[in-house]
Amino acid sequence: MAGAVTEKNPTGANSASASLSNGPGAAAVLAAGIGAFMVGLFAVLADKSAAIKSLMVFSKPTGPLSGVTTTAIVVWLTAWAVLHVRWRSKTVALGTINVAALLLLALGLLLTFPPLEQFPN
Amino acid sequence: MEITTRSLWTLIHGMGFGALYLLACSGALVELYRRYAPAAGDVISACDESFLRIYLVVMAALAWLTVLTGAYIIYPWYRAVPPAGTTNLTAFPQRLLMANPSTVAWHSLGMEWKEHVAWLAPISMTMAAGVMMQYGRDLKKHPQLRAVVLSFMWISLLAAGVAGFFGAMLNKNAPVEGGPTIRLMHGE
């Protein structure tokens, strides 16, 4: 997604300014897409592999769900922090980033659906 | 009138946090769609801006409370494994559903979907709250950003709706019950 960064905000505006660039917003949106996708991806991985399923048991009473969601949240928040630092004063190609984020969100949604999650079992 | 502790937690999770989140979603969607459209004529006051910021932060908190109480308080009771030889599965909802071909799909489809899809709601709403905290009324100047935030909020509503629907149906078919009983009222 590095190519989506088109220009640096010349004002270096802070968050309260009217000329705030779209970079921080794009970072939040793309990271949320990544987070949603990770929920679906880890759910599928835990379903397909007994080893991963076992690794994902962070809390025994809750089972693999605890690891699936905690890992996805860690990836999401890390992605948000990294993207925010990289894009906080930049103007980025939001259209491209929006499409990527919505695709990731849609994939995340689909991967959580059991008939797809368990395919081809 | 009595209620068990587990039943009370289920109520707090579903009717308290979850249902309140679903109700709040429509308000946030309308506000963000109507007031923050680039063509919207009226000026957004500092008070209105603060209101939506607080509203979205509270919604994100509600979404997190819903999934966390669900995953770490209620779900362990739901998936508890009965001791060998147990014939009455009332206290073991997952096993009760799986023991009957007419109810097994409530678990294999309903709970399996609900337990994962619900997490898209707090992720989406935290993003929406974060964007609103950063941009406030300036979001009017970023129509693409506003549009994608609205899309995520719609998906969060869908995810919460799926989780809420299956939660209600699961609790109807195999209620999470047990624990100490709380007496709410004495009968006449």
Side-chain angles (χ1 to χ4, degrees):
Chain A
M1 206 55 67
V5 180
T6 55
E7 65 182 79
K8 185 155 185 165
N9 183 356
T11 63
N14 64 31
S15 62
S17 167
S19 56
L20 180 64
S21 67
N22 66 12
V29 167
L30 185 58
I34 291 169
F37 176 66
M38 287 298 149
V39 171
L41 179 68
F42 287 126
V44 169
L45 291 176
D47 189 63
K48 298 286 178 205
S49 159
I52 294 175
K53 187 174 191 171
S54 168
L55 275 176
M56 289 292 174
V57 181
F58 290 6
S59 156
K60 204 170 176 187
T62 299
L65 177 65
S66 57
V68 165
T69 53
T70 304
T71 312
I73 289 165
V74 169
V75 174
W76 160 52
L77 293 176
T78 305
W80 193 353
V82 170
L83 290 169
H84 183 83
V85 168
R86 288 177 67 93
W87 292 350
R88 66 183 154 195
S89 59
K90 290 178 177 161
T91 297
V92 299
L94 195 57
T96 311
I97 288 163
N98 284 356
V99 170
L102 289 172
L103 272 175
L104 287 165
L105 177 64
L107 276 172
L109 188 65
L110 286 174
L111 289 174
T112 61
F113 187 57
L116 293 175
E117 182 189 328
Q118 288 153 17
F119 182 82
N121 290 356
Chain B
M1 189 160 72
E2 294 176 338
I3 189 168
T4 64
T5 314
R6 291 183 183 184
S7 197
L8 180 63
W9 270 111
T10 308
L11 271 175
I12 291 168
H13 160 76
M15 293 298 293
F17 303 140
L20 197 54
Y21 178 82
L22 281 170
L23 285 171
C25 244
S26 51
L29 281 163
V30 168
E31 179 78 358
L32 199 58
Y33 177 78
R34 200 176 63 87
R35 301 288 309 276
Y36 286 76
D42 52 342
V43 177
I44 298 166
S45 68
C47 182
D48 286 347
E49 181 186 56
S50 298
F51 174 81
L52 189 56
R53 279 179 167 153
I54 294 166
Y55 193 95
L56 292 182
V57 168
V58 170
M59 280 186 68
L62 276 174
W64 283 112
L65 285 168
T66 309
V67 295
L68 290 172
T69 53
Y72 291 97
I73 296 176
I74 297 155
Y75 188 56
W77 293 328
Y78 170 83
R79 69 190 291 271
V81 179
T86 305
T87 52
N88 182 359
L89 296 173
T90 311
F92 306 94
Q94 179 184 356
R95 304 300 161 136
L96 182 62
L97 292 172
M98 292 172 75
N100 188 337
S102 69
T103 58
V104 68
W106 287 119
H107 170 74
S108 61
L109 179 71
M111 179 52 95
E112 292 282 342
W113 194 13
K114 165 188 165 62
E115 72 185 35
H116 293 121
V117 79
W119 292 82
L120 303 192
I123 291 173
S124 298
M125 197 48 69
T126 303
M127 179 275 285
V131 168
M132 192 61 204
M133 291 302 289
Q134 289 180 83
Y135 289 85
R137 71 190 95 171
D138 284 351
L139 201 54
K140 282 184 84 161
K141 297 171 187 164
H142 297 274
Q144 281 186 313
L145 188 56
R146 170 183 157 276
V148 77
V149 168
L150 273 170
S151 301
F152 269 79
M153 285 168 66
W154 273 112
I155 295 295
S156 97
L157 177 63
L158 173 70
V162 167
F165 167 75
F166 281 114
M169 294 311 292
L170 284 158
N171 207 47
K172 186 179 168 70
N173 283 280
V176 175
E177 288 282 7
T181 300
I182 301 162
R183 177 163 290 177
L184 300 172
M185 198 182 285
H186 288 279
E188 291 186 11

